[in-house]
mmCIF file of all heavy atoms in Angstrom:
data_model
loop_
_atom_site.group_PDB
_atom_site.id
_atom_site.type_symbol
_atom_site.label_atom_id
_atom_site.label_comp_id
_atom_site.label_asym_id
_atom_site.label_seq_id
_atom_site.Cartn_x
_atom_site.Cartn_y
_atom_site.Cartn_z
ATOM 1 N N GLY P 1 75.890 94.176 73.338
ATOM 2 C CA GLY P 1 74.805 94.891 72.643
ATOM 3 C C GLY P 1 74.810 94.551 71.167
ATOM 4 O O GLY P 1 75.717 93.966 70.626
ATOM 5 N N ILE P 2 73.643 94.883 70.524
ATOM 6 C CA ILE P 2 73.363 94.416 69.155
ATOM 7 C C ILE P 2 73.365 95.607 68.189
ATOM 8 O O ILE P 2 72.789 96.636 68.448
ATOM 9 C CB ILE P 2 72.015 93.687 69.048
ATOM 10 C CG1 ILE P 2 72.076 92.411 69.845
ATOM 11 C CG2 ILE P 2 71.617 93.408 67.624
ATOM 12 C CD1 ILE P 2 73.134 91.437 69.348
ATOM 13 N N PHE P 3 74.010 95.379 67.030
ATOM 14 C CA PHE P 3 74.037 96.328 65.927
ATOM 15 C C PHE P 3 73.281 95.678 64.737
ATOM 16 O O PHE P 3 73.670 94.633 64.290
ATOM 17 C CB PHE P 3 75.510 96.663 65.585
ATOM 18 C CG PHE P 3 75.650 97.618 64.409
ATOM 19 C CD1 PHE P 3 74.837 98.636 64.248
ATOM 20 C CD2 PHE P 3 76.740 97.511 63.557
ATOM 21 C CE1 PHE P 3 75.006 99.573 63.182
ATOM 22 C CE2 PHE P 3 76.931 98.399 62.497
ATOM 23 C CZ PHE P 3 76.020 99.455 62.380
ATOM 24 N N TYR P 4 72.199 96.358 64.386
ATOM 25 C CA TYR P 4 71.386 95.894 63.232
ATOM 26 C C TYR P 4 71.366 96.951 62.137
ATOM 27 O O TYR P 4 71.022 98.121 62.416
ATOM 28 C CB TYR P 4 69.930 95.595 63.674
ATOM 29 C CG TYR P 4 68.958 95.241 62.548
ATOM 30 C CD1 TYR P 4 68.782 93.917 62.246
ATOM 31 C CD2 TYR P 4 68.331 96.165 61.790
ATOM 32 C CE1 TYR P 4 67.942 93.527 61.251
ATOM 33 C CE2 TYR P 4 67.525 95.787 60.754
ATOM 34 C CZ TYR P 4 67.301 94.488 60.508
ATOM 35 O OH TYR P 4 66.397 94.141 59.459
ATOM 36 N N PHE P 5 71.825 96.607 60.940
ATOM 37 C CA PHE P 5 71.844 97.596 59.877
ATOM 38 C C PHE P 5 71.638 96.906 58.558
ATOM 39 O O PHE P 5 71.712 95.729 58.438
ATOM 40 C CB PHE P 5 73.173 98.332 59.893
ATOM 41 C CG PHE P 5 74.384 97.534 59.538
ATOM 42 C CD1 PHE P 5 74.975 97.596 58.288
ATOM 43 C CD2 PHE P 5 74.950 96.800 60.519
ATOM 44 C CE1 PHE P 5 76.034 96.823 57.984
ATOM 45 C CE2 PHE P 5 76.115 95.960 60.220
ATOM 46 C CZ PHE P 5 76.638 96.036 58.917
ATOM 47 N N ASP P 6 71.305 97.757 57.502
ATOM 48 C CA ASP P 6 71.205 97.217 56.149
ATOM 49 C C ASP P 6 72.116 98.023 55.304
ATOM 50 O O ASP P 6 72.589 99.098 55.587
ATOM 51 C CB ASP P 6 69.768 97.217 55.696
ATOM 52 C CG ASP P 6 69.165 98.609 55.502
ATOM 53 O OD1 ASP P 6 69.960 99.536 55.259
ATOM 54 O OD2 ASP P 6 67.898 98.821 55.618
ATOM 55 N N PHE P 7 72.356 97.441 54.089
ATOM 56 C CA PHE P 7 73.235 98.112 53.057
ATOM 57 C C PHE P 7 72.868 97.589 51.696
ATOM 58 O O PHE P 7 72.394 96.464 51.567
ATOM 59 C CB PHE P 7 74.706 97.897 53.336
ATOM 60 C CG PHE P 7 75.178 96.576 53.119
ATOM 61 C CD1 PHE P 7 75.814 96.102 51.882
ATOM 62 C CD2 PHE P 7 75.164 95.562 54.114
ATOM 63 C CE1 PHE P 7 76.288 94.862 51.700
ATOM 64 C CE2 PHE P 7 75.624 94.285 53.923
ATOM 65 C CZ PHE P 7 76.149 93.884 52.744
ATOM 66 N N ASN P 8 72.993 98.500 50.743
ATOM 67 C CA ASN P 8 72.776 98.134 49.294
ATOM 68 C C ASN P 8 74.069 97.478 48.779
ATOM 69 O O ASN P 8 75.170 97.812 49.072
ATOM 70 C CB ASN P 8 72.485 99.335 48.489
ATOM 71 C CG ASN P 8 71.046 99.913 48.613
ATOM 72 O OD1 ASN P 8 70.220 99.125 49.013
ATOM 73 N ND2 ASN P 8 70.883 101.126 48.347
ATOM 74 N N THR P 9 73.818 96.476 47.922
ATOM 75 C CA THR P 9 74.961 95.736 47.449
ATOM 76 C C THR P 9 75.509 96.225 46.173
ATOM 77 O O THR P 9 74.861 97.014 45.438
ATOM 78 C CB THR P 9 74.537 94.300 47.170
ATOM 79 O OG1 THR P 9 73.512 94.196 46.196
ATOM 80 C CG2 THR P 9 73.983 93.575 48.451
ATOM 81 N N ILE P 10 76.729 95.813 45.823
ATOM 82 C CA ILE P 10 77.277 96.073 44.551
ATOM 83 C C ILE P 10 76.380 95.676 43.379
ATOM 84 O O ILE P 10 76.189 96.374 42.376
ATOM 85 C CB ILE P 10 78.674 95.497 44.369
ATOM 86 C CG1 ILE P 10 79.663 96.080 45.405
ATOM 87 C CG2 ILE P 10 79.249 95.625 43.009
ATOM 88 C CD1 ILE P 10 80.960 95.291 45.544
ATOM 89 N N TYR P 11 75.738 94.455 43.552
ATOM 90 C CA TYR P 11 74.865 93.923 42.503
ATOM 91 C C TYR P 11 73.706 94.924 42.258
ATOM 92 O O TYR P 11 73.388 95.161 41.059
ATOM 93 C CB TYR P 11 74.309 92.556 43.075
ATOM 94 C CG TYR P 11 73.245 92.054 42.120
ATOM 95 C CD1 TYR P 11 73.588 91.272 41.042
ATOM 96 C CD2 TYR P 11 71.902 92.267 42.350
ATOM 97 C CE1 TYR P 11 72.582 90.832 40.112
ATOM 98 C CE2 TYR P 11 70.867 91.832 41.571
ATOM 99 C CZ TYR P 11 71.241 91.100 40.423
ATOM 100 O OH TYR P 11 70.283 90.638 39.540
ATOM 101 N N LYS P 12 73.171 95.497 43.275
ATOM 102 C CA LYS P 12 72.013 96.441 43.080
ATOM 103 C C LYS P 12 72.491 97.637 42.311
ATOM 104 O O LYS P 12 71.846 98.006 41.304
ATOM 105 C CB LYS P 12 71.459 96.912 44.504
ATOM 106 C CG LYS P 12 70.314 97.865 44.302
ATOM 107 C CD LYS P 12 69.683 98.219 45.567
ATOM 108 C CE LYS P 12 68.531 99.253 45.456
ATOM 109 N NZ LYS P 12 67.898 99.521 46.708
ATOM 110 N N TYR P 13 73.621 98.225 42.631
ATOM 111 C CA TYR P 13 73.999 99.418 41.906
ATOM 112 C C TYR P 13 74.436 99.081 40.494
ATOM 113 O O TYR P 13 74.115 99.867 39.532
ATOM 114 C CB TYR P 13 75.194 100.091 42.668
ATOM 115 C CG TYR P 13 74.837 100.707 43.988
ATOM 116 C CD1 TYR P 13 75.451 100.295 45.130
ATOM 117 C CD2 TYR P 13 73.841 101.634 44.069
ATOM 118 C CE1 TYR P 13 75.077 100.903 46.376
ATOM 119 C CE2 TYR P 13 73.471 102.250 45.248
ATOM 120 C CZ TYR P 13 74.132 101.860 46.377
ATOM 121 O OH TYR P 13 73.747 102.398 47.620
ATOM 122 N N ARG P 14 75.088 97.963 40.285
ATOM 123 C CA ARG P 14 75.663 97.636 38.978
ATOM 124 C C ARG P 14 74.477 97.073 38.019
ATOM 125 O O ARG P 14 74.452 97.494 36.929
ATOM 126 C CB ARG P 14 76.748 96.609 39.087
ATOM 127 C CG ARG P 14 77.338 96.138 37.798
ATOM 128 C CD ARG P 14 78.174 94.884 37.991
ATOM 129 N NE ARG P 14 79.362 95.160 38.664
ATOM 130 C CZ ARG P 14 79.925 94.266 39.526
ATOM 131 N NH1 ARG P 14 79.345 93.118 39.827
ATOM 132 N NH2 ARG P 14 81.115 94.615 40.114
ATOM 133 N N GLU P 15 73.744 96.187 38.573
ATOM 134 C CA GLU P 15 72.812 95.456 37.700
ATOM 135 C C GLU P 15 71.386 95.924 37.703
ATOM 136 O O GLU P 15 70.620 95.708 36.739
ATOM 137 C CB GLU P 15 72.817 93.970 38.055
ATOM 138 C CG GLU P 15 74.162 93.308 38.087
ATOM 139 C CD GLU P 15 74.818 93.195 36.698
ATOM 140 O OE1 GLU P 15 74.053 93.275 35.720
ATOM 141 O OE2 GLU P 15 76.056 93.089 36.575
ATOM 142 N N VAL P 16 70.967 96.574 38.797
ATOM 143 C CA VAL P 16 69.541 96.867 38.929
ATOM 144 C C VAL P 16 69.242 98.418 38.617
ATOM 145 O O VAL P 16 68.417 98.675 37.747
ATOM 146 C CB VAL P 16 69.019 96.544 40.334
ATOM 147 C CG1 VAL P 16 67.570 96.888 40.501
ATOM 148 C CG2 VAL P 16 69.180 95.075 40.675
ATOM 149 N N ILE P 17 69.925 99.259 39.280
ATOM 150 C CA ILE P 17 69.641 100.694 39.027
ATOM 151 C C ILE P 17 70.688 101.321 38.108
ATOM 152 O O ILE P 17 70.360 102.169 37.277
ATOM 153 C CB ILE P 17 69.536 101.511 40.326
ATOM 154 C CG1 ILE P 17 70.780 101.373 41.193
ATOM 155 C CG2 ILE P 17 68.254 101.094 41.119
ATOM 156 C CD1 ILE P 17 70.643 102.241 42.418
ATOM 157 N N GLY P 18 71.909 100.816 38.131
ATOM 158 C CA GLY P 18 72.990 101.188 37.190
ATOM 159 C C GLY P 18 72.821 102.573 36.632
ATOM 160 O O GLY P 18 72.621 103.598 37.336
ATOM 161 N N ASP P 19 72.999 102.731 35.304
ATOM 162 C CA ASP P 19 72.970 104.003 34.583
ATOM 163 C C ASP P 19 71.444 104.164 34.179
ATOM 164 O O ASP P 19 71.209 103.936 32.988
ATOM 165 C CB ASP P 19 73.852 104.070 33.443
ATOM 166 C CG ASP P 19 75.343 104.108 33.995
ATOM 167 O OD1 ASP P 19 75.596 104.792 34.901
ATOM 168 O OD2 ASP P 19 76.216 103.412 33.262
ATOM 169 N N SER P 20 70.595 104.575 35.027
ATOM 170 C CA SER P 20 69.184 104.591 34.742
ATOM 171 C C SER P 20 68.593 105.951 35.260
ATOM 172 O O SER P 20 69.256 106.704 36.052
ATOM 173 C CB SER P 20 68.416 103.486 35.375
ATOM 174 O OG SER P 20 68.496 103.570 36.821
ATOM 175 N N THR P 21 67.460 106.288 34.712
ATOM 176 C CA THR P 21 66.781 107.452 35.081
ATOM 177 C C THR P 21 65.379 107.179 35.543
ATOM 178 O O THR P 21 64.680 106.387 34.963
ATOM 179 C CB THR P 21 66.665 108.506 33.909
ATOM 180 O OG1 THR P 21 67.995 108.826 33.479
ATOM 181 C CG2 THR P 21 65.939 109.794 34.323
ATOM 182 N N ILE P 22 65.019 107.708 36.727
ATOM 183 C CA ILE P 22 63.717 107.509 37.295
ATOM 184 C C ILE P 22 62.993 108.855 37.383
ATOM 185 O O ILE P 22 63.610 109.835 37.918
ATOM 186 C CB ILE P 22 63.789 106.880 38.683
ATOM 187 C CG1 ILE P 22 64.549 105.583 38.652
ATOM 188 C CG2 ILE P 22 62.386 106.622 39.287
ATOM 189 C CD1 ILE P 22 64.944 105.026 39.958
ATOM 190 N N ALA P 23 61.748 108.888 36.942
ATOM 191 C CA ALA P 23 61.033 110.216 37.059
ATOM 192 C C ALA P 23 59.671 109.923 37.660
ATOM 193 O O ALA P 23 59.053 108.882 37.360
ATOM 194 C CB ALA P 23 60.773 110.814 35.695
ATOM 195 N N GLU P 24 59.193 110.798 38.564
ATOM 196 C CA GLU P 24 57.992 110.599 39.271
ATOM 197 C C GLU P 24 57.251 111.910 39.416
ATOM 198 O O GLU P 24 57.860 112.870 39.799
ATOM 199 C CB GLU P 24 58.188 109.901 40.598
ATOM 200 C CG GLU P 24 56.921 109.327 41.206
ATOM 201 C CD GLU P 24 57.214 108.411 42.436
ATOM 202 O OE1 GLU P 24 58.177 107.631 42.287
ATOM 203 O OE2 GLU P 24 56.497 108.487 43.392
ATOM 204 N N ASN P 25 55.974 111.918 39.149
ATOM 205 C CA ASN P 25 55.199 113.147 39.211
ATOM 206 C C ASN P 25 54.136 113.042 40.256
ATOM 207 O O ASN P 25 53.374 112.098 40.273
ATOM 208 C CB ASN P 25 54.547 113.410 37.864
ATOM 209 C CG ASN P 25 53.801 114.741 37.786
ATOM 210 O OD1 ASN P 25 54.285 115.684 38.416
ATOM 211 N ND2 ASN P 25 52.782 114.833 36.991
ATOM 212 N N ARG P 26 54.158 113.933 41.219
ATOM 213 C CA ARG P 26 53.168 113.956 42.227
ATOM 214 C C ARG P 26 52.395 115.275 42.217
ATOM 215 O O ARG P 26 52.741 116.179 41.397
ATOM 216 C CB ARG P 26 53.837 113.868 43.695
ATOM 217 C CG ARG P 26 54.756 112.765 43.901
ATOM 218 C CD ARG P 26 53.935 111.416 43.976
ATOM 219 N NE ARG P 26 54.792 110.294 44.224
ATOM 220 C CZ ARG P 26 55.172 109.821 45.472
ATOM 221 N NH1 ARG P 26 54.692 110.459 46.538
ATOM 222 N NH2 ARG P 26 55.971 108.775 45.558
ATOM 223 N N GLU P 27 51.378 115.414 42.983
ATOM 224 C CA GLU P 27 50.473 116.620 42.880
ATOM 225 C C GLU P 27 51.214 117.792 43.237
ATOM 226 O O GLU P 27 51.081 118.915 42.546
ATOM 227 C CB GLU P 27 49.223 116.423 43.854
ATOM 228 C CG GLU P 27 48.270 117.617 43.736
ATOM 229 C CD GLU P 27 47.090 117.450 44.561
ATOM 230 O OE1 GLU P 27 46.966 116.348 45.221
ATOM 231 O OE2 GLU P 27 46.184 118.333 44.588
ATOM 232 N N HIS P 28 52.059 117.813 44.211
ATOM 233 C CA HIS P 28 52.709 119.088 44.662
ATOM 234 C C HIS P 28 54.256 119.064 44.444
ATOM 235 O O HIS P 28 54.847 120.133 44.758
ATOM 236 C CB HIS P 28 52.435 119.280 46.169
ATOM 237 C CG HIS P 28 50.928 119.478 46.490
ATOM 238 N ND1 HIS P 28 50.218 120.565 46.034
ATOM 239 C CD2 HIS P 28 50.031 118.654 47.147
ATOM 240 C CE1 HIS P 28 48.944 120.445 46.442
ATOM 241 N NE2 HIS P 28 48.818 119.261 47.067
ATOM 242 N N CYS P 29 54.730 117.993 43.983
ATOM 243 C CA CYS P 29 56.208 117.980 43.632
ATOM 244 C C CYS P 29 56.480 116.773 42.710
ATOM 245 O O CYS P 29 55.756 115.818 42.672
ATOM 246 C CB CYS P 29 57.066 117.842 44.898
ATOM 247 S SG CYS P 29 56.676 116.441 45.975
ATOM 248 N N SER P 30 57.553 116.980 41.972
ATOM 249 C CA SER P 30 57.997 115.960 41.033
ATOM 250 C C SER P 30 59.491 115.868 41.070
ATOM 251 O O SER P 30 60.155 116.730 41.594
ATOM 252 C CB SER P 30 57.535 116.278 39.599
ATOM 253 O OG SER P 30 56.141 116.563 39.535
ATOM 254 N N PHE P 31 60.044 114.773 40.579
ATOM 255 C CA PHE P 31 61.500 114.608 40.576
ATOM 256 C C PHE P 31 61.939 113.826 39.420
ATOM 257 O O PHE P 31 61.227 112.980 38.811
ATOM 258 C CB PHE P 31 62.049 113.991 41.916
ATOM 259 C CG PHE P 31 61.825 112.510 41.999
ATOM 260 C CD1 PHE P 31 62.748 111.628 41.580
ATOM 261 C CD2 PHE P 31 60.675 112.072 42.621
ATOM 262 C CE1 PHE P 31 62.508 110.277 41.648
ATOM 263 C CE2 PHE P 31 60.483 110.684 42.801
ATOM 264 C CZ PHE P 31 61.397 109.763 42.303
ATOM 265 N N ILE P 32 63.231 114.050 39.065
ATOM 266 C CA ILE P 32 63.959 113.323 38.035
ATOM 267 C C ILE P 32 65.241 112.771 38.801
ATOM 268 O O ILE P 32 66.015 113.596 39.321
ATOM 269 C CB ILE P 32 64.358 114.130 36.830
ATOM 270 C CG1 ILE P 32 63.107 114.750 36.188
ATOM 271 C CG2 ILE P 32 65.139 113.237 35.820
ATOM 272 C CD1 ILE P 32 63.418 115.724 35.112
ATOM 273 N N TRP P 33 65.387 111.479 38.808
ATOM 274 C CA TRP P 33 66.460 110.859 39.570
ATOM 275 C C TRP P 33 67.331 110.154 38.554
ATOM 276 O O TRP P 33 66.971 109.123 38.011
ATOM 277 C CB TRP P 33 65.830 109.837 40.565
ATOM 278 C CG TRP P 33 66.736 109.289 41.598
ATOM 279 C CD1 TRP P 33 67.825 108.474 41.370
ATOM 280 C CD2 TRP P 33 66.603 109.437 43.048
ATOM 281 N NE1 TRP P 33 68.394 108.100 42.579
ATOM 282 C CE2 TRP P 33 67.708 108.621 43.592
ATOM 283 C CE3 TRP P 33 65.661 109.980 43.849
ATOM 284 C CZ2 TRP P 33 67.846 108.546 44.979
ATOM 285 C CZ3 TRP P 33 65.844 109.912 45.198
ATOM 286 C CH2 TRP P 33 66.873 109.163 45.736
ATOM 287 N N GLU P 34 68.594 110.638 38.389
ATOM 288 C CA GLU P 34 69.498 110.064 37.418
ATOM 289 C C GLU P 34 70.628 109.348 38.166
ATOM 290 O O GLU P 34 71.321 109.945 39.013
ATOM 291 C CB GLU P 34 70.088 111.182 36.511
ATOM 292 C CG GLU P 34 68.954 111.842 35.681
ATOM 293 C CD GLU P 34 69.468 113.088 34.954
ATOM 294 O OE1 GLU P 34 69.650 114.116 35.658
ATOM 295 O OE2 GLU P 34 69.751 112.989 33.803
ATOM 296 N N ASN P 35 70.851 108.082 37.767
ATOM 297 C CA ASN P 35 71.924 107.298 38.383
ATOM 298 C C ASN P 35 73.017 107.193 37.488
ATOM 299 O O ASN P 35 72.890 106.916 36.242
ATOM 300 C CB ASN P 35 71.393 105.909 38.784
ATOM 301 C CG ASN P 35 70.306 105.893 39.815
ATOM 302 O OD1 ASN P 35 70.607 106.201 40.969
ATOM 303 N ND2 ASN P 35 69.069 105.601 39.454
ATOM 304 N N TYR P 36 74.259 107.198 37.996
ATOM 305 C CA TYR P 36 75.481 106.920 37.212
ATOM 306 C C TYR P 36 76.380 106.070 38.060
ATOM 307 O O TYR P 36 76.866 106.492 39.096
ATOM 308 C CB TYR P 36 76.151 108.266 36.924
ATOM 309 C CG TYR P 36 75.383 109.256 36.240
ATOM 310 C CD1 TYR P 36 74.719 110.231 36.924
ATOM 311 C CD2 TYR P 36 75.168 109.221 34.814
ATOM 312 C CE1 TYR P 36 73.915 111.231 36.276
ATOM 313 C CE2 TYR P 36 74.342 110.162 34.156
ATOM 314 C CZ TYR P 36 73.779 111.163 34.916
ATOM 315 O OH TYR P 36 73.038 112.103 34.275
ATOM 316 N N TYR P 37 76.547 104.779 37.611
ATOM 317 C CA TYR P 37 77.410 103.874 38.387
ATOM 318 C C TYR P 37 78.812 103.867 37.894
ATOM 319 O O TYR P 37 79.006 103.716 36.672
ATOM 320 C CB TYR P 37 76.789 102.489 38.293
ATOM 321 C CG TYR P 37 77.640 101.414 38.995
ATOM 322 C CD1 TYR P 37 77.756 101.381 40.404
ATOM 323 C CD2 TYR P 37 78.294 100.438 38.258
ATOM 324 C CE1 TYR P 37 78.486 100.470 41.020
ATOM 325 C CE2 TYR P 37 79.000 99.468 38.914
ATOM 326 C CZ TYR P 37 79.132 99.466 40.307
ATOM 327 O OH TYR P 37 79.967 98.584 40.987
ATOM 328 N N GLN P 38 79.782 103.908 38.735
ATOM 329 C CA GLN P 38 81.185 103.888 38.453
ATOM 330 C C GLN P 38 81.722 102.523 39.004
ATOM 331 O O GLN P 38 81.761 102.256 40.199
ATOM 332 C CB GLN P 38 81.906 105.047 38.964
ATOM 333 C CG GLN P 38 81.394 106.355 38.614
ATOM 334 C CD GLN P 38 81.877 107.438 39.514
ATOM 335 O OE1 GLN P 38 83.002 107.401 39.979
ATOM 336 N NE2 GLN P 38 81.116 108.509 39.709
#
């Protein structure tokens, strides 16, 4: 049988999203997404 899966890399967490903040505003909900990489 076959196992198919994906995963995020260390590179993504360290170099791409790292210590960043993402905010998004929608009509019925909004969010603030804060990342902290260790």
Side-chain angles (χ1 to χ4, degrees):
I2 293 298
F3 181 33
Y4 176 93
F5 67 100
D6 66 28
F7 68 96
N8 284 336
T9 62
I10 296 170
Y11 174 85
K12 178 175 181 177
Y13 291 123
R14 178 194 290 146
E15 305 294 339
V16 180
I17 57 178
D19 294 321
S20 63
T21 300
I22 304 167
E24 194 165 320
N25 188 32
R26 304 289 182 93
E27 183 177 358
H28 299 292
C29 55
S30 305
F31 75 88
I32 302 170
W33 189 299
E34 298 172 282
N35 295 291
Y36 305 96
Y37 176 69
Q38 306 164 31

